[in-house]
Coordinates of all heavy atoms in Angstrom, one line a residue:
M1 N 133.8 5.7 -21.5 CA 135.0 5.0 -22.1 C 134.5 4.3 -23.4 O 133.6 3.5 -23.4 CB 135.5 3.9 -21.2 CG 136.3 4.5 -20.0 SD 138.1 4.3 -20.2 CE 138.3 2.5 -20.1
T2 N 135.2 4.7 -24.5 CA 134.9 4.0 -25.8 C 136.0 3.0 -26.0 O 137.1 3.1 -25.6 CB 134.9 5.0 -26.9 OG1 134.7 4.3 -28.1 CG2 136.1 5.9 -27.0
R3 N 135.6 1.9 -26.6 CA 136.5 0.8 -27.0 C 136.6 0.6 -28.5 O 137.0 -0.4 -29.0 CB 136.1 -0.5 -26.3 CG 136.2 -0.4 -24.8 CD 135.8 -1.6 -24.1 NE 136.8 -2.7 -24.4 CZ 136.7 -3.9 -23.8 NH1 135.8 -4.2 -23.0 NH2 137.6 -4.8 -24.2
R4 N 136.2 1.7 -29.2 CA 136.1 1.5 -30.7 C 137.5 1.7 -31.3 O 137.7 1.2 -32.4 CB 135.1 2.5 -31.3 CG 133.7 1.9 -31.2 CD 132.7 2.9 -31.9 NE 132.7 4.1 -31.2 CZ 131.6 4.7 -30.7 NH1 130.5 4.2 -30.9 NH2 131.7 5.9 -30.1
S5 N 138.4 2.5 -30.7 CA 139.7 2.7 -31.4 C 140.8 2.4 -30.4 O 140.6 2.4 -29.2 CB 139.8 4.1 -31.8 OG 139.6 5.0 -30.7
P6 N 142.0 2.0 -30.9 CA 143.0 1.6 -30.0 C 143.4 2.8 -29.1 O 143.4 3.9 -29.5 CB 144.2 1.3 -30.9 CG 143.7 1.3 -32.3 CD 142.4 2.0 -32.3
P7 N 143.7 2.5 -27.8 CA 144.1 3.6 -26.9 C 145.4 4.2 -27.5 O 146.2 3.6 -28.0 CB 144.5 2.8 -25.6 CG 143.9 1.5 -25.7 CD 143.8 1.2 -27.2
T8 N 145.5 5.6 -27.4 CA 146.6 6.2 -27.9 C 147.8 5.9 -27.1 O 147.7 5.5 -25.9 CB 146.4 7.8 -27.9 OG1 146.0 8.1 -26.6 CG2 145.4 8.2 -28.9
R9 N 149.0 5.9 -27.6 CA 150.3 5.6 -27.0 C 150.4 4.1 -26.7 O 151.5 3.7 -26.1 CB 150.4 6.4 -25.6 CG 150.5 7.9 -25.8 CD 150.7 8.6 -24.5 NE 149.5 8.4 -23.6 CZ 149.6 7.6 -22.5 NH1 150.7 7.0 -22.2 NH2 148.5 7.4 -21.8
V10 N 149.4 3.3 -26.9 CA 149.6 1.9 -26.6 C 149.8 1.1 -27.9 O 149.1 1.2 -28.8 CB 148.3 1.4 -25.9 CG1 148.3 -0.1 -25.8 CG2 148.1 2.1 -24.6
L11 N 150.9 0.4 -27.9 CA 151.2 -0.5 -29.0 C 150.7 -1.9 -28.6 O 150.8 -2.3 -27.5 CB 152.8 -0.7 -29.2 CG 153.5 0.5 -29.8 CD1 155.0 0.3 -29.6 CD2 153.1 0.7 -31.2
P12 N 150.0 -2.5 -29.6 CA 149.5 -3.9 -29.2 C 150.7 -4.8 -29.0 O 151.7 -4.8 -29.7 CB 148.7 -4.3 -30.4 CG 149.2 -3.4 -31.5 CD 149.7 -2.2 -31.0
P13 N 150.5 -5.7 -27.9 CA 151.5 -6.8 -27.7 C 151.5 -7.7 -28.9 O 150.5 -7.8 -29.6 CB 151.0 -7.5 -26.5 CG 150.0 -6.5 -25.8 CD 149.5 -5.7 -26.9
T14 N 152.6 -8.4 -29.1 CA 152.7 -9.4 -30.2 C 151.8 -10.6 -29.7 O 151.5 -10.7 -28.5 CB 154.1 -9.9 -30.4 OG1 154.6 -10.5 -29.2 CG2 155.0 -8.8 -30.8
K15 N 151.6 -11.6 -30.6 CA 150.9 -12.8 -30.2 C 151.5 -13.4 -29.0 O 150.8 -13.9 -28.1 CB 150.8 -13.8 -31.3 CG 149.9 -13.3 -32.5 CD 149.9 -14.4 -33.5 CE 149.2 -13.8 -34.8 NZ 149.2 -14.8 -35.9
R16 N 152.8 -13.6 -29.0 CA 153.5 -14.3 -27.9 C 153.4 -13.5 -26.6 O 153.2 -14.0 -25.5 CB 154.9 -14.5 -28.3 CG 155.6 -15.3 -27.2 CD 156.2 -16.5 -27.6 NE 155.6 -17.8 -27.8 CZ 156.3 -18.9 -27.9 NH1 157.6 -18.8 -27.9 NH2 155.7 -20.0 -28.0
E17 N 153.6 -12.1 -26.7 CA 153.4 -11.3 -25.5 C 152.0 -11.3 -25.0 O 151.8 -11.4 -23.8 CB 153.8 -9.8 -25.9 CG 155.3 -9.6 -26.1 CD 155.6 -8.3 -26.9 OE1 154.7 -7.6 -27.2 OE2 156.8 -8.1 -27.2
C18 N 151.1 -11.4 -25.9 CA 149.6 -11.5 -25.5 C 149.4 -12.8 -24.8 O 148.8 -12.8 -23.7 CB 148.8 -11.5 -26.8 SG 147.0 -11.7 -26.5
A19 N 149.9 -13.9 -25.3 CA 149.8 -15.2 -24.6 C 150.4 -15.2 -23.2 O 149.9 -15.8 -22.3 CB 150.3 -16.3 -25.5
T20 N 151.6 -14.5 -23.1 CA 152.2 -14.4 -21.8 C 151.4 -13.6 -20.8 O 151.2 -14.0 -19.7 CB 153.6 -13.7 -22.0 OG1 154.4 -14.5 -22.9 CG2 154.4 -13.6 -20.7
L21 N 150.8 -12.5 -21.3 CA 150.0 -11.7 -20.4 C 148.7 -12.4 -20.0 O 148.3 -12.3 -18.9 CB 149.5 -10.4 -21.2 CG 150.5 -9.3 -21.3 CD1 150.0 -8.2 -22.2 CD2 150.9 -8.7 -20.0
E22 N 148.2 -13.2 -20.9 CA 147.0 -14.0 -20.6 C 147.3 -15.0 -19.4 O 146.5 -15.1 -18.5 CB 146.5 -14.8 -21.8 CG 145.2 -15.5 -21.7 CD 145.4 -16.9 -21.2 OE1 146.3 -17.6 -21.7 OE2 144.7 -17.3 -20.3
R23 N 148.5 -15.6 -19.5 CA 148.9 -16.5 -18.4 C 149.2 -15.8 -17.1 O 148.9 -16.3 -16.1 CB 150.0 -17.4 -18.9 CG 149.5 -18.5 -19.9 CD 150.5 -19.0 -20.9 NE 149.9 -19.9 -21.8 CZ 149.1 -19.6 -22.8 NH1 148.8 -18.4 -23.1 NH2 148.6 -20.6 -23.6
I24 N 149.9 -14.7 -17.2 CA 150.1 -13.9 -16.0 C 148.8 -13.5 -15.4 O 148.7 -13.5 -14.1 CB 151.0 -12.6 -16.4 CG1 152.4 -13.1 -16.7 CG2 151.0 -11.6 -15.2 CD1 153.3 -12.0 -17.3
G25 N 147.8 -13.2 -16.2 CA 146.5 -12.8 -15.7 C 145.8 -14.0 -15.0 O 144.9 -13.8 -14.2
R26 N 146.3 -15.2 -15.3 CA 145.7 -16.4 -14.6 C 146.7 -16.8 -13.4 O 146.6 -17.9 -12.9 CB 145.6 -17.5 -15.6 CG 144.4 -17.3 -16.5 CD 144.0 -18.6 -17.2 NE 144.9 -18.8 -18.4 CZ 145.5 -19.9 -18.7 NH1 145.4 -20.9 -17.8 NH2 146.3 -20.0 -19.7
D27 N 147.6 -15.9 -13.1 CA 148.5 -16.1 -11.9 C 149.5 -17.2 -12.1 O 149.9 -17.8 -11.2 CB 147.7 -16.3 -10.6 CG 147.1 -15.0 -10.1 OD1 147.6 -13.9 -10.4 OD2 146.0 -15.0 -9.5
L28 N 149.8 -17.5 -13.4 CA 150.9 -18.5 -13.7 C 152.2 -17.8 -13.5 O 152.3 -16.6 -13.7 CB 150.8 -19.1 -15.1 CG 149.5 -19.9 -15.4 CD1 149.6 -20.5 -16.8 CD2 149.3 -21.0 -14.4
T29 N 153.2 -18.5 -13.0 CA 154.5 -17.9 -12.8 C 155.3 -17.9 -14.1 O 154.9 -18.6 -15.1 CB 155.3 -18.7 -11.8 OG1 155.6 -20.0 -12.3 CG2 154.6 -18.8 -10.4
H30 N 156.4 -17.1 -14.1 CA 157.2 -17.1 -15.3 C 157.8 -18.5 -15.6 O 157.9 -19.0 -16.7 CB 158.4 -16.2 -15.1 CG 158.0 -14.7 -15.2 ND1 158.9 -13.7 -15.2 CD2 156.8 -14.1 -15.4 CE1 158.3 -12.5 -15.3 NE2 157.0 -12.8 -15.4
K31 N 158.0 -19.3 -14.5 CA 158.5 -20.6 -14.6 C 157.5 -21.5 -15.3 O 157.8 -22.3 -16.2 CB 158.8 -21.2 -13.2 CG 159.6 -22.5 -13.2 CD 159.9 -22.9 -11.8 CE 160.4 -24.3 -11.7 NZ 160.5 -24.8 -10.3
D32 N 156.2 -21.4 -14.9 CA 155.1 -22.2 -15.5 C 155.0 -21.9 -17.0 O 154.9 -22.8 -17.8 CB 153.8 -21.8 -14.9 CG 153.6 -22.2 -13.5 OD1 154.3 -23.1 -13.0 OD2 152.9 -21.4 -12.7
I33 N 155.1 -20.6 -17.3 CA 154.9 -20.1 -18.7 C 156.1 -20.6 -19.6 O 156.0 -21.1 -20.7 CB 154.8 -18.6 -18.8 CG1 153.6 -18.1 -18.0 CG2 154.7 -18.1 -20.2 CD1 153.5 -16.6 -17.7
A34 N 157.3 -20.5 -19.0 CA 158.5 -21.0 -19.7 C 158.4 -22.5 -20.0 O 158.7 -22.9 -21.2 CB 159.8 -20.8 -18.8
A35 N 157.9 -23.3 -19.1 CA 157.7 -24.7 -19.3 C 156.7 -25.0 -20.4 O 156.9 -25.8 -21.3 CB 157.3 -25.4 -18.0
E36 N 155.6 -24.2 -20.4 CA 154.5 -24.4 -21.4 C 155.0 -24.1 -22.8 O 154.7 -24.8 -23.7 CB 153.3 -23.6 -21.0 CG 152.2 -23.8 -22.0 CD 151.0 -22.9 -21.8 OE1 150.8 -22.3 -20.7 OE2 150.1 -22.8 -22.7
F37 N 155.7 -22.9 -22.9 CA 156.2 -22.5 -24.2 C 157.5 -23.1 -24.7 O 157.9 -23.0 -25.8 CB 156.4 -21.0 -24.2 CG 155.1 -20.1 -24.1 CD1 155.2 -18.7 -23.9 CD2 153.9 -20.7 -24.1 CE1 154.1 -18.0 -23.8 CE2 152.7 -19.9 -23.9 CZ 152.8 -18.6 -23.8
G38 N 158.1 -23.8 -23.8 CA 159.4 -24.4 -24.1 C 160.5 -23.4 -24.3 O 161.3 -23.5 -25.2
I39 N 160.5 -22.3 -23.5 CA 161.5 -21.2 -23.6 C 162.1 -21.0 -22.3 O 161.6 -21.5 -21.3 CB 160.9 -19.9 -24.2 CG1 159.7 -19.4 -23.3 CG2 160.4 -20.2 -25.7 CD1 159.0 -18.2 -23.9
S40 N 163.1 -20.2 -22.2 CA 163.8 -19.9 -20.9 C 162.9 -18.9 -20.1 O 162.2 -18.1 -20.6 CB 165.2 -19.4 -21.1 OG 165.1 -18.1 -21.5
I41 N 163.2 -19.0 -18.7 CA 162.5 -18.0 -17.9 C 162.9 -16.6 -18.2 O 162.1 -15.7 -18.1 CB 162.8 -18.4 -16.4 CG1 162.2 -19.7 -16.0 CG2 162.3 -17.3 -15.4 CD1 162.5 -20.3 -14.6
N42 N 164.2 -16.4 -18.6 CA 164.6 -15.1 -19.0 C 163.8 -14.5 -20.2 O 163.5 -13.4 -20.3 CB 166.1 -15.1 -19.4 CG 167.0 -15.0 -18.1 OD1 166.5 -14.6 -17.1 ND2 168.2 -15.3 -18.3
T43 N 163.5 -15.4 -21.1 CA 162.8 -15.0 -22.3 C 161.3 -14.6 -21.9 O 160.8 -13.7 -22.4 CB 162.7 -16.2 -23.4 OG1 164.1 -16.5 -23.7 CG2 162.0 -15.8 -24.7
V44 N 160.8 -15.4 -21.0 CA 159.4 -15.0 -20.5 C 159.5 -13.7 -19.8 O 158.6 -12.8 -20.1 CB 158.9 -16.1 -19.5 CG1 157.6 -15.6 -18.9 CG2 158.7 -17.4 -20.2
A45 N 160.5 -13.4 -19.0 CA 160.6 -12.1 -18.4 C 160.7 -11.0 -19.4 O 160.2 -9.9 -19.2 CB 161.8 -12.1 -17.4
N46 N 161.5 -11.3 -20.5 CA 161.6 -10.3 -21.5 C 160.3 -10.0 -22.2 O 159.9 -8.9 -22.5 CB 162.6 -10.7 -22.6 CG 164.1 -10.5 -22.1 OD1 164.3 -9.7 -21.2 ND2 165.0 -11.3 -22.6
L47 N 159.5 -11.1 -22.5 CA 158.2 -10.9 -23.2 C 157.3 -10.1 -22.3 O 156.6 -9.2 -22.8 CB 157.6 -12.3 -23.4 CG 158.2 -13.2 -24.5 CD1 157.6 -14.6 -24.4 CD2 157.8 -12.6 -25.9
A48 N 157.3 -10.4 -21.0 CA 156.5 -9.7 -20.1 C 156.9 -8.2 -20.0 O 156.1 -7.3 -20.0 CB 156.5 -10.3 -18.7
A49 N 158.2 -8.0 -19.9 CA 158.7 -6.6 -19.8 C 158.4 -5.8 -21.1 O 158.0 -4.6 -21.0 CB 160.2 -6.6 -19.6
N50 N 158.5 -6.4 -22.2 CA 158.1 -5.7 -23.5 C 156.7 -5.4 -23.5 O 156.3 -4.3 -23.9 CB 158.4 -6.6 -24.7 CG 159.9 -6.7 -25.0 OD1 160.7 -5.9 -24.5 ND2 160.3 -7.7 -25.8
A51 N 155.8 -6.4 -23.1 CA 154.4 -6.1 -23.0 C 154.0 -5.0 -22.1 O 153.2 -4.1 -22.4 CB 153.7 -7.4 -22.7
Y52 N 154.7 -5.0 -20.9 CA 154.4 -4.0 -19.9 C 154.7 -2.6 -20.5 O 154.0 -1.6 -20.3 CB 155.2 -4.2 -18.6 CG 154.8 -5.4 -17.7 CD1 154.0 -6.3 -18.2 CD2 155.4 -5.5 -16.5 CE1 153.7 -7.4 -17.4 CE2 155.1 -6.6 -15.7 CZ 154.3 -7.6 -16.1 OH 154.0 -8.6 -15.4
R53 N 155.9 -2.5 -21.1 CA 156.4 -1.3 -21.7 C 155.4 -0.8 -22.7 O 155.0 0.4 -22.8 CB 157.8 -1.4 -22.3 CG 158.5 0.0 -22.5 CD 159.8 -0.2 -23.2 NE 159.6 -0.8 -24.5 CZ 160.1 -2.0 -24.9 NH1 160.8 -2.7 -24.1 NH2 159.9 -2.5 -26.1
K54 N 155.0 -1.7 -23.6 CA 154.0 -1.3 -24.7 C 152.7 -0.8 -24.1 O 152.1 0.1 -24.7 CB 153.7 -2.5 -25.6 CG 154.9 -2.8 -26.6 CD 154.5 -4.0 -27.4 CE 155.6 -4.3 -28.4 NZ 155.2 -5.5 -29.2
L55 N 152.3 -1.4 -23.0 CA 151.0 -1.0 -22.4 C 151.1 0.1 -21.4 O 150.2 0.6 -20.9 CB 150.4 -2.3 -21.7 CG 150.0 -3.4 -22.7 CD1 149.8 -4.7 -21.9 CD2 148.8 -3.0 -23.5
G56 N 152.4 0.6 -21.2 CA 152.6 1.7 -20.2 C 152.3 1.2 -18.8 O 151.8 2.1 -18.0
A57 N 152.5 0.0 -18.5 CA 152.1 -0.6 -17.2 C 153.4 -0.9 -16.4 O 154.4 -1.2 -17.0 CB 151.3 -1.9 -17.4
H58 N 153.3 -0.7 -15.1 CA 154.4 -0.9 -14.2 C 154.2 -2.1 -13.3 O 155.0 -2.3 -12.4 CB 154.8 0.4 -13.5 CG 155.1 1.5 -14.4 ND1 156.3 1.6 -15.1 CD2 154.4 2.6 -14.8 CE1 156.3 2.6 -15.8 NE2 155.1 3.3 -15.7
S59 N 153.1 -2.8 -13.4 CA 152.9 -4.0 -12.6 C 152.1 -5.0 -13.4 O 151.5 -4.6 -14.5 CB 152.1 -3.6 -11.4 OG 150.8 -3.3 -11.7
A60 N 152.2 -6.2 -13.0 CA 151.4 -7.3 -13.7 C 149.9 -6.9 -13.7 O 149.3 -7.0 -14.8 CB 151.7 -8.6 -13.0
A61 N 149.4 -6.5 -12.6 CA 148.0 -6.2 -12.5 C 147.6 -5.1 -13.5 O 146.6 -5.2 -14.2 CB 147.6 -5.8 -11.1
A62 N 148.4 -4.0 -13.5 CA 148.2 -2.9 -14.4 C 148.3 -3.3 -15.9 O 147.5 -2.9 -16.7 CB 149.1 -1.8 -14.2
A63 N 149.2 -4.2 -16.2 CA 149.4 -4.7 -17.5 C 148.2 -5.5 -18.0 O 147.7 -5.4 -19.1 CB 150.7 -5.5 -17.7
V64 N 147.7 -6.4 -17.1 CA 146.5 -7.2 -17.4 C 145.3 -6.3 -17.7 O 144.6 -6.6 -18.6 CB 146.2 -8.2 -16.3 CG1 144.9 -8.9 -16.5 CG2 147.4 -9.3 -16.2
L65 N 145.2 -5.3 -16.9 CA 144.0 -4.4 -17.1 C 144.2 -3.6 -18.4 O 143.2 -3.5 -19.2 CB 143.9 -3.4 -15.9 CG 143.3 -3.9 -14.7 CD1 143.3 -2.8 -13.6 CD2 141.8 -4.3 -15.0
A66 N 145.4 -3.1 -18.7 CA 145.7 -2.3 -19.9 C 145.5 -3.2 -21.1 O 145.0 -2.8 -22.1 CB 147.1 -1.7 -19.9
H67 N 145.9 -4.5 -20.9 CA 145.8 -5.4 -22.0 C 144.3 -5.7 -22.4 O 144.0 -5.9 -23.6 CB 146.5 -6.7 -21.7 CG 146.4 -7.7 -22.7 ND1 146.2 -9.1 -22.5 CD2 146.5 -7.6 -24.1 CE1 146.2 -9.7 -23.6 NE2 146.4 -8.9 -24.6
R68 N 143.4 -5.6 -21.4 CA 142.0 -5.9 -21.7 C 141.5 -4.9 -22.8 O 140.8 -5.3 -23.7 CB 141.2 -5.6 -20.4 CG 139.7 -5.9 -20.6 CD 139.0 -5.6 -19.3 NE 139.2 -4.2 -18.9 CZ 138.9 -3.7 -17.7 NH1 138.2 -4.5 -16.8 NH2 139.1 -2.5 -17.4
D69 N 142.0 -3.7 -22.8 CA 141.5 -2.7 -23.8 C 142.3 -2.8 -25.1 O 141.8 -2.5 -26.1 CB 141.6 -1.3 -23.2 CG 140.7 -1.1 -22.0 OD1 139.6 -1.7 -22.1 OD2 141.0 -0.4 -21.1
A70 N 143.6 -3.2 -24.9 CA 144.5 -3.2 -26.1 C 144.3 -4.5 -26.9 O 144.7 -4.6 -28.1 CB 145.9 -3.0 -25.7
H71 N 143.8 -5.5 -26.3 CA 143.8 -6.9 -26.9 C 143.2 -7.0 -28.3 O 143.8 -7.7 -29.1 CB 143.1 -7.9 -25.9 CG 143.1 -9.2 -26.6 ND1 144.2 -10.0 -26.8 CD2 142.0 -9.9 -27.1 CE1 143.8 -11.1 -27.4 NE2 142.5 -11.1 -27.6
P72 N 142.1 -6.3 -28.6 CA 141.6 -6.4 -29.9 C 142.6 -6.1 -31.0 O 142.4 -6.5 -32.2 CB 140.4 -5.4 -30.0 CG 140.0 -5.3 -28.5 CD 141.3 -5.4 -27.7
W73 N 143.7 -5.4 -30.7 CA 144.7 -5.1 -31.7 C 146.0 -5.9 -31.6 O 147.0 -5.6 -32.2 CB 145.0 -3.6 -31.6 CG 143.8 -2.8 -31.9 CD1 143.3 -2.4 -33.1 CD2 142.8 -2.4 -31.0 NE1 142.1 -1.8 -33.0 CE2 141.8 -1.7 -31.7 CE3 142.7 -2.4 -29.6 CZ2 140.6 -1.2 -31.1 CZ3 141.5 -1.9 -29.0 CH2 140.5 -1.3 -29.7
C74 N 145.9 -7.0 -30.8 CA 147.1 -7.8 -30.6 C 147.5 -8.7 -31.8 O 148.6 -9.1 -31.9 CB 146.9 -8.8 -29.4 SG 147.0 -8.1 -27.8
G75 N 146.5 -8.9 -32.6 CA 146.8 -9.9 -33.7 C 146.7 -11.3 -33.3 O 147.1 -12.2 -34.0
S76 N 146.2 -11.5 -32.0 CA 146.0 -12.8 -31.5 C 144.6 -13.2 -31.6 O 143.7 -12.3 -31.6 CB 146.4 -12.8 -30.0 OG 145.9 -13.9 -29.4
R77 N 144.3 -14.5 -31.8 CA 143.0 -14.9 -31.9 C 142.4 -15.4 -30.6 O 141.3 -16.0 -30.5 CB 142.8 -16.0 -33.0 CG 143.2 -15.4 -34.3 CD 142.9 -16.4 -35.4 NE 143.3 -15.9 -36.7 CZ 142.6 -15.0 -37.4 NH1 141.4 -14.6 -37.0 NH2 143.1 -14.5 -38.6
I78 N 143.2 -15.3 -29.5 CA 142.6 -15.7 -28.2 C 141.4 -14.9 -27.9 O 141.4 -13.7 -28.1 CB 143.6 -15.4 -27.1 CG1 144.9 -16.3 -27.2 CG2 143.0 -15.7 -25.7 CD1 146.0 -16.0 -26.2
D79 N 140.3 -15.5 -27.5 CA 139.1 -14.8 -27.1 C 139.2 -14.5 -25.6 O 139.1 -15.4 -24.8 CB 137.9 -15.7 -27.4 CG 136.6 -15.0 -27.0 OD1 136.7 -13.8 -26.5 OD2 135.5 -15.6 -27.1
F80 N 139.4 -13.2 -25.3 CA 139.6 -12.9 -23.9 C 138.3 -12.7 -23.1 O 138.3 -12.5 -21.9 CB 140.4 -11.6 -23.8 CG 141.8 -11.9 -23.7 CD1 142.6 -12.2 -24.7 CD2 142.4 -11.9 -22.4 CE1 143.9 -12.5 -24.6 CE2 143.7 -12.2 -22.2 CZ 144.5 -12.5 -23.3
G81 N 137.1 -12.8 -23.8 CA 135.9 -12.6 -23.1 C 135.8 -13.6 -21.9 O 135.8 -13.2 -20.8
P82 N 135.8 -14.9 -22.2 CA 135.7 -15.9 -21.1 C 136.9 -15.8 -20.1 O 136.7 -16.0 -18.9 CB 135.7 -17.2 -21.8 CG 135.5 -17.0 -23.3 CD 135.8 -15.5 -23.5
I83 N 138.1 -15.6 -20.7 CA 139.2 -15.5 -19.8 C 139.1 -14.4 -18.8 O 139.4 -14.6 -17.6 CB 140.5 -15.3 -20.7 CG1 140.8 -16.6 -21.5 CG2 141.7 -15.0 -19.8 CD1 141.7 -16.4 -22.6
L84 N 138.7 -13.2 -19.3 CA 138.5 -12.1 -18.4 C 137.5 -12.4 -17.3 O 137.6 -12.0 -16.1 CB 138.2 -10.8 -19.1 CG 139.3 -10.2 -19.9 CD1 138.9 -9.2 -20.9 CD2 140.3 -9.6 -19.0
E85 N 136.4 -13.1 -17.7 CA 135.4 -13.5 -16.7 C 136.1 -14.4 -15.6 O 135.8 -14.2 -14.4 CB 134.2 -14.2 -17.3 CG 133.4 -13.3 -18.2 CD 132.9 -12.0 -17.4 OE1 132.4 -12.2 -16.3 OE2 133.1 -10.9 -17.9
R86 N 136.9 -15.3 -16.1 CA 137.6 -16.2 -15.1 C 138.5 -15.4 -14.2 O 138.6 -15.7 -13.0 CB 138.4 -17.3 -15.9 CG 137.5 -18.4 -16.5 CD 138.3 -19.7 -16.5 NE 139.5 -19.6 -17.3 CZ 139.6 -19.8 -18.6 NH1 138.5 -20.0 -19.3 NH2 140.7 -19.7 -19.2
I87 N 139.3 -14.4 -14.8 CA 140.2 -13.6 -14.0 C 139.4 -12.9 -12.9 O 139.8 -12.9 -11.7 CB 141.0 -12.7 -14.9 CG1 142.0 -13.4 -15.8 CG2 141.8 -11.6 -14.0 CD1 142.6 -12.6 -16.9
K88 N 138.3 -12.3 -13.4 CA 137.5 -11.5 -12.4 C 137.0 -12.4 -11.3 O 137.0 -12.0 -10.1 CB 136.3 -10.9 -13.2 CG 136.5 -9.4 -13.4 CD 135.1 -8.8 -13.8 CE 134.9 -8.9 -15.4 NZ 133.6 -8.4 -15.8
A89 N 136.5 -13.6 -11.7 CA 135.9 -14.5 -10.7 C 137.0 -14.9 -9.7 O 136.8 -15.0 -8.5 CB 135.4 -15.7 -11.4
S90 N 138.3 -15.2 -10.2 CA 139.3 -15.6 -9.4 C 139.8 -14.5 -8.4 O 140.2 -14.8 -7.3 CB 140.5 -16.2 -10.2 OG 141.2 -15.1 -10.8
R91 N 139.7 -13.2 -8.9 CA 140.1 -12.1 -8.1 C 139.1 -11.9 -6.9 O 139.4 -11.5 -5.9 CB 140.2 -10.8 -8.9 CG 141.2 -10.8 -9.9 CD 142.5 -10.2 -9.5 NE 143.6 -11.0 -10.0 CZ 144.4 -10.6 -11.0 NH1 144.2 -9.4 -11.6 NH2 145.4 -11.3 -11.4
M92 N 137.8 -12.3 -7.2 CA 136.8 -12.1 -6.2 C 136.8 -13.2 -5.2 O 136.3 -13.0 -4.1 CB 135.4 -11.9 -6.9 CG 135.2 -10.6 -7.4 SD 133.5 -10.5 -8.0 CE 133.7 -10.0 -9.7
A93 N 137.3 -14.4 -5.6 CA 137.3 -15.5 -4.8 C 138.2 -15.3 -3.5 O 139.1 -14.6 -3.6 CB 137.6 -16.8 -5.5
Ligands
ZN101 ZN1 146.1 -9.6 -26.4

């Protein structure tokens, strides 16, 4: 597997979609994310749905995994290295 070029057919999530996926990856609920961003739960659901569609994922877990590879093209400055380590650690716990 090469990570040098963006996966074909995958559009990078926007910064906000990226931030939503990051929180979903930490098992936060849509309600938690809505409260943090100061937006409605419906808006969070839309951000998540858009991100899933762009990543060709049909579940939160698949989206988080697909996002790991697409993230360098998100336009977000979140550093996913440490976050992914935390997600992995929490999945194993
Ligand atoms: Zn991202």
Side-chain angles (χ1 to χ4, degrees):
M1 285 255 294
T2 175
R3 295 180 65 176
R4 274 183 301 233
S5 57
T8 50
R9 296 180 298 107
V10 172
L11 287 169
T14 64
K15 287 181 191 178
R16 183 124 277 193
E17 288 162 2
C18 177
T20 302
L21 284 171
E22 186 270 317
R23 283 152 181 81
I24 289 170
R26 286 193 279 129
D27 288 332
L28 296 184
T29 64
H30 287 184
K31 191 179 167 189
D32 296 331
I33 299 166
E36 180 183 346
F37 292 174
I39 59 181
S40 73
I41 293 174
N42 278 343
T43 305
V44 174
N46 283 335
L47 286 168
N50 285 343
Y52 292 8
R53 195 186 62 242
K54 285 181 180 177
L55 293 164
H58 300 287
S59 70
V64 170
L65 280 177
H67 180 220
R68 181 181 59 187
D69 295 327
H71 177 68
W73 297 275
C74 283
S76 159
R77 295 188 186 278
I78 295 174
D79 178 2
F80 266 81
I83 292 164
L84 286 164
E85 289 309 309
R86 285 209 303 274
I87 291 170
K88 257 195 272 173
S90 74
R91 296 268 140 103
M92 280 186 237

